[in-house]
Amino acid sequence: MLAPVAMKTHRLEPLLNPGSIAIVGASNNAARIGGMPIAHLTQFGYQGQVYPINPKYSEVFGLRCWPDIEALPVAPDLVVLAIAAADVLPMLRRCAARGVRAVIVYAAGFAEEGARGAAMQAELEAYVATTDMVVAGPNAMGFANLNTQAHTNFASVFNTAPMQSGRGSVSLLTQSGNVCAAVYAIARRLGVDFSHFINTGNEACVDFAQYLEYLAQDVATEVCMGYIEELRDGPRFMDAAEAFVRQGKLLILYKAGETDKGSEAVRSHTSALAGDKAVYQAAFRQLGIIQSHDFVQMAQLAHLAGYRHRSAGKRVAIITISGALGAILADKFIGAGLEVPTLPQALQDQLRAGIPDYGMVSNPVDVTGNVVNDPGFVRTAMQALAQSEAVDSVVIYAPGYMLDRMADDLCAVSARFSKLFVAIDTGAAKTREQLRAGGVPVFEDIGVAVSALAPFLLWQERRRHNRWLQVRGQAAPTRAALPDSLDEYRTKQLLARHGVPAALERVATTADEAAAAADAIGYPVVLKVLSADIAHKTEAGGVRLRLADAAQVRQAFDEVLASARRYDPQARIEGALVCRMESGVAELIVGATRDPVFGMTLTVGLGGVLTELYQDVSHRLLPVDEAMAREMLQELKAFPLLTGYRGRAQGDVDAACAAIAGFSRAVLALGDQVQEVEVNPLLVMEQGVCMLDALVLTAPQAA
Amino acid sequence: MLAPVAMKTHRLEPLLNPGSIAIVGASNNAARIGGMPIAHLTQFGYQGQVYPINPKYSEVFGLRCWPDIEALPVAPDLVVLAIAAADVLPMLRRCAARGVRAVIVYAAGFAEEGARGAAMQAELEAYVATTDMVVAGPNAMGFANLNTQAHTNFASVFNTAPMQSGRGSVSLLTQSGNVCAAVYAIARRLGVDFSHFINTGNEACVDFAQYLEYLAQDVATEVCMGYIEELRDGPRFMDAAEAFVRQGKLLILYKAGETDKGSEAVRSHTSALAGDKAVYQAAFRQLGIIQSHDFVQMAQLAHLAGYRHRSAGKRVAIITISGALGAILADKFIGAGLEVPTLPQALQDQLRAGIPDYGMVSNPVDVTGNVVNDPGFVRTAMQALAQSEAVDSVVIYAPGYMLDRMADDLCAVSARFSKLFVAIDTGAAKTREQLRAGGVPVFEDIGVAVSALAPFLLWQERRRHNRWLQVRGQAAPTRAALPDSLDEYRTKQLLARHGVPAALERVATTADEAAAAADAIGYPVVLKVLSADIAHKTEAGGVRLRLADAAQVRQAFDEVLASARRYDPQARIEGALVCRMESGVAELIVGATRDPVFGMTLTVGLGGVLTELYQDVSHRLLPVDEAMAREMLQELKAFPLLTGYRGRAQGDVDAACAAIAGFSRAVLALGDQVQEVEVNPLLVMEQGVCMLDALVLTAPQAA
């Protein structure tokens, strides 16, 4: 047998799971920030040592109060500073000298309050970097470890929300104390039991990603509900999120600031940039994170997470006692992205044996009100559904009293089969807790059920084969050197080397060379001025289409160069590009831009002004392989234009996917040398694809 | 003084507000359909006479039981038939003979169960038409008048949901008994008090619209929550809905069957066609109905309806104690179609007087946690918001204990000013009932608050100026005769007479006439074959574009006619149409089709395949005037293409609106002679618009 591996204690352990806690600025008043944590610690049964510190008192909440930190018999794991901003830095020095491992700073008045506060925060950060201490905040409401009742917060929600009786496995991690408290209150009302209550404050020394790293390795935490305004360290966040989800834990994140007004409120709140909504959405999805926009939904997802080890997926069987309710559920599930497949005939026949003619067996299944008169049938039907490979999950919606009559059967089937059965009861079933304990989650509202089930089942579906987490770990491509000049030809050649097909084209530096190139390529041709300094070739009069013979090419060469020189006398003109005049089925735009949080991000859409108006684009973090590229194309509402819509020609989707994957490799190989890369358009033909134009913008530091 | 007007008793009064009730098929078992209504009537305190009828019993639930309907001392207002389908018709005859005014038929086995049942239902309908009786059902769960406790139902939800203590003003009207019960249970849990509980069953003799007519004139009903699968009488429904909303009552309707699966379930349920989702949506909006897709939302809207006399609208001020919560609310409200306007500087200055620098005053307003220390400021701030003309409604979101401290001030301001203030409390405020009684609705969830407030505030906004209800009542245009031939030219002339501009064009029957026409019109011209029998002119080789001179026109005339004759030798060819070659800013498609429920419906969109893929169209019931036409165009995502998007030319939107209004007049004037009318495209130019093609399909009976 191997010896047990010595677990390295996580750096944030003294902050989030402290064995002893001192409160500097302790107060006897439970309504004050120096009193509330001590009130909570004594009231809720924290077993560790608590040291109130305040020279004014000898006792606080029945505990001995110490005059200063130096007077303590031992160095506490964690010190809570309930003191004013100006006093924080001197006190941190004393904590460090005393050997304290972790500190929470409540005080506001730092980076969120103008230049002076920002300077003070910078000073704090610089000092803490010279120590071994972990410092949370400033401007934070403090934490709670609900499994040890280590309360280091001044959150009055713990005075009003009912305290859980047992252990919890759901952690809260928010960039706002008030959101932390609001979600806690809502989730407690819905019966969620918590492990950690964390709000990050100004994140001077510990940011969101580091807390998430902690929760990833925290055995008490199986679910994290998070709230984000701005991520300070995107790559670290991605690694932490990946570590979290790779363990099968459920990560649910709310990102605020999606509208201008919302992001204005967030900015003013934490001086943070809200970031690009679409990129966050892509990142969450690729990382296997469920994005939520509703606190109740988050809480219900946390509840569902307890059933995440059951087998489940997006093909849902709906069982009701009424065609109308079946219709309503089918509308809602399909609208939310799930599937309600027609059941196989054999299964329908099995169901029909117990369902009257006016009931339905196809899915939704309307067992009709009569079914309760035949309890044996309920079990048979549920077993048949549990064993069917045509559906992944089963949802039963029946009035409370009918659900009560089915509860034993449901629990029995759920005990024997791993498939997820879910009950909806908008009445007052008495068996809700029996069902939940028996492996059947129960919702008391249709809307809430759909809003939680849909993302949960889609998450179950995706986590089985999260393609991106596989390709993300692969070795990065060899770094590609940037050519001296990023003119159109060299840009295309660069991309072509990674697998994005260029059109048949040649560089010509004289009219004769142009004519010879055209002869070789075959007519008609396009002739374009070649200059890394001229981005808008058409505007510069630098493009001629449909040139039919050598004479036209010669003339075009001279005209185009003259026109370009008039347009920009300073531009270095390298000649002209002679290209075969291609036509195809559709034009794509394939671009990569650098997101400040998540790095290089790929965008695919159909070219043209309507695509822009309809915002019909798909985003992904890199790398993107061919399978992901196909998913991106399929997400476009305009995708049918590539696949023979209404008798049109079919485009070569395979070639487009290969080109997009090649584009992704090229962008990764260029790395931090570039700021933006774009192929616009990528012409999709019946056979193959080719770049008609391409552009690279170098990164400021590389320029 | 005028003498009181004698109110004519509504035909459905004995059905929905009966003074005496007999139950045929009475049972002593409260779980049976013949027992449950009697149990409810005796248990909940109905004051009218109840006559159980069953020759097997002498007493039922303590009431004398009568052997048959003939034995009753008087004819009851209402008879409930808890008997099998086959026994219904004979019993109806006995009811009519006994002088009964109304009957409810519970029995299933009619139109919902195949051809035999349908025949039985037809027989029932035919018989009832010969009587003065009102007959509800069959296949219905029965009614409840919750203000008189007249229970004529076998809905077990009344056994489980808590009975209201006072009078209610919310009626339920559903095309499914199970939905009726489900919504009742949910709404009772949320505290809604009811007037009527109505489910319509198979609607053999009384349909949804007739019940709605009753509720429109029912003084007990101020709100109706309805559920629709299929409307049997669209015009009657529209009139009833208009009567309902014109009295300031709130009509909330859920339409099921929006997906294929949902409509399949609905069809199989009531053998009804689900109808066109988009047309229902347009109709609901034009009639001032709030469309809902969620039972909880319906119940919350019913709750909000109690505050509908307060002044409210879509410009919302958000007051919170945290920037994060402000951001979340702003995102949600804007996402739901409301506005969160930046407050005027003077108001900001007023607010700043009591809000620290790190709080926000622009909107969302972050009063910060400190505000509770200065209660005088809360009242000042609320008054300033109540008096401001920059916002229509005020939403306050604060943790329970803070809301409690603000409650007196909120109630005081709400008593003095009519502007709607709304509170959100996700904690556990003790003052919720005080606030509600003081005119401030309280929500306990952000998502639910937004989902109810957004449609409610938009409804408040729209009902102030429901343009369509004004134009709907105007005199119909004089009926227009259909021309003998509906070729393109005559179709355009027909539409042009109502104000849809035609292009400059002439009919030519010979090549010489064509050339002369082109000379008169000016080059270039378009030449098209003219034949009412050839719908697809391009396919027939019947169109020539960009003809530059008389010779080309002559040649084109001959070719086009020859080609059309080859394409369809049977077609009557009337010659050719010579039109000026127009070009413009954008092309619209303007069409009218006959919806089976709502009649002629107008659709506007931009032409082209992408419009179709993106479903970017707007629908309205007729008539549509210029203001409504503008609203339709503005709804299109592609609308910017008409208004100079990215430096493009601007289209003549005024002319487009006038043309659409003219099109509406033309369609109404044609009336039931036509099935479909379409202008495609309507070319929008920088100055003016013109039809490039137009088509009329006559109605089957008129063909």
Side-chain angles (χ1 to χ4, degrees), chain A residues 108 112-113 156-157 160 175-176 178-179 182-183 185-186 189 227 229 254-266 268-269 293-296 321-332 334-335 340-343 357-360 362-364 366 397 399 401-402 425-428 430 432 444-448 606-607 609-614 616 636-641 645-646 648, chain B residues 108 112-113 156-157 160 175-176 178-179 182-183 185-186 189 227 229 254-266 268-269 293-296 321-332 334-335 340-343 357-360 362-364 366 397 399 401-402 425-428 430 432 444-448 606-607 609-614 616 636-641 645-646 648:
Chain A
E112 83 286 3
E113 249 191 75
S156 55
V157 69
T160 49
Q175 290 189 324
S176 151
N178 283 300
V179 170
V183 178
I186 291 167
R189 199 167 63 214
Y227 167 80
E229 292 177 353
Y254 192 131
K255 166 77 177 71
E258 299 213 323
T259 63
D260 290 345
K261 267 286 169 185
S263 98
E264 184 187 309
V266 161
S268 144
H269 175 56
H293 294 99
D294 188 86
F295 295 162
V296 169
I321 54 130
S322 136
L325 297 175
I328 286 170
L329 285 176
D331 282 350
K332 282 184 176 283
I334 292 167
V340 182
T342 300
L343 300 180
D357 279 352
Y358 61 91
M360 290 179 64
S362 56
N363 194 20
D366 168 13
Y397 178 21
Y401 72 100
M402 285 205 191
D425 161 35
T426 53
K430 298 180 181 70
R432 285 183 182 179
E444 59 177 77
D445 175 66
I446 302 172
V448 169
L606 260 82
V609 66
L610 282 173
T611 296
E612 194 177 337
L613 277 171
Y614 292 121
D616 187 23
L636 301 177
K637 288 209 184 96
F639 179 64
L641 291 184
Y645 185 69
R646 302 226 161 190
R648 287 159 178 252
Chain B
E112 83 284 4
E113 249 192 74
S156 55
V157 69
T160 49
Q175 290 189 325
S176 152
N178 283 301
V179 169
V183 178
I186 291 166
R189 200 168 61 215
Y227 167 80
E229 293 176 353
Y254 192 130
K255 166 77 176 70
E258 299 213 323
T259 63
D260 290 346
K261 267 285 170 186
S263 100
E264 185 187 309
V266 161
S268 142
H269 175 56
H293 294 99
D294 189 87
F295 295 163
V296 169
I321 54 130
S322 135
L325 297 174
I328 286 170
L329 284 176
D331 282 351
K332 282 186 176 281
I334 293 167
V340 182
T342 299
L343 299 180
D357 279 353
Y358 60 90
M360 290 180 64
S362 57
N363 194 20
D366 168 13
Y397 178 22
Y401 72 101
M402 284 207 192
D425 161 34
T426 53
K430 298 180 181 72
R432 285 184 182 178
E444 59 178 76
D445 175 65
I446 302 172
V448 169
L606 260 82
V609 67
L610 282 173
T611 296
E612 196 178 334
L613 277 172
Y614 293 122
D616 187 24
L636 301 177
K637 289 211 184 91
F639 179 64
L641 292 184
Y645 185 69
R646 302 227 160 185
R648 288 159 178 251

Side-chain angles (χ1 to χ4, degrees), chain A residues 582-612:
Chain A
E582 302 280 8
S583 70
V585 175
E587 294 185 350
L588 295 176
I589 171 169
V590 180
T593 50
R594 187 170 298 283
D595 181 82
V597 175
F598 295 102
M600 279 314 239
T601 311
L602 185 70
T603 301
V604 171
L606 260 82
V609 66
L610 282 173
T611 296
E612 194 177 337

Side-chain angles (χ1 to χ4, degrees), chain B residues 637-659:
Chain B
K637 289 211 184 91
F639 179 64
L641 292 184
L642 290 179
T643 56
Y645 185 69
R646 302 227 160 185
R648 288 159 178 251
Q650 292 205 10
D652 191 338
V653 174
D654 291 343
C657 295

Side-chain angles (χ1 to χ4, degrees), chain A residues 90 108 125 192 203 236 247 250 277-278 291 348 382 404 432 444 459 470 538 552 606 613 655 669:
Chain A
E125 282 176 50
V192 173
E203 304 187 359
R236 190 165 192 170
Q247 292 170 68
L250 188 65
K277 167 185 170 176
Q291 183 168 19
Q348 291 197 28
M382 295 301 157
D404 286 340
R432 285 183 182 179
E444 59 177 77
W459 172 81
Q470 288 163 35
T538 305
Q552 287 186 9
L606 260 82
L613 277 171

Side-chain angles (χ1 to χ4, degrees), chain B residues 595-617:
Chain B
D595 181 83
V597 175
F598 295 103
M600 280 313 241
T601 310
L602 186 69
T603 302
V604 171
L606 260 82
V609 67
L610 282 173
T611 296
E612 196 178 334
L613 277 172
Y614 293 122
Q615 300 261 311
D616 187 24
V617 289

Side-chain angles (χ1 to χ4, degrees), chain B residues 386-400:
Chain B
Q387 289 173 289
S388 169
E389 286 178 9
V391 293
D392 306 311
S393 320
V394 181
V395 176
I396 297 122
Y397 178 22

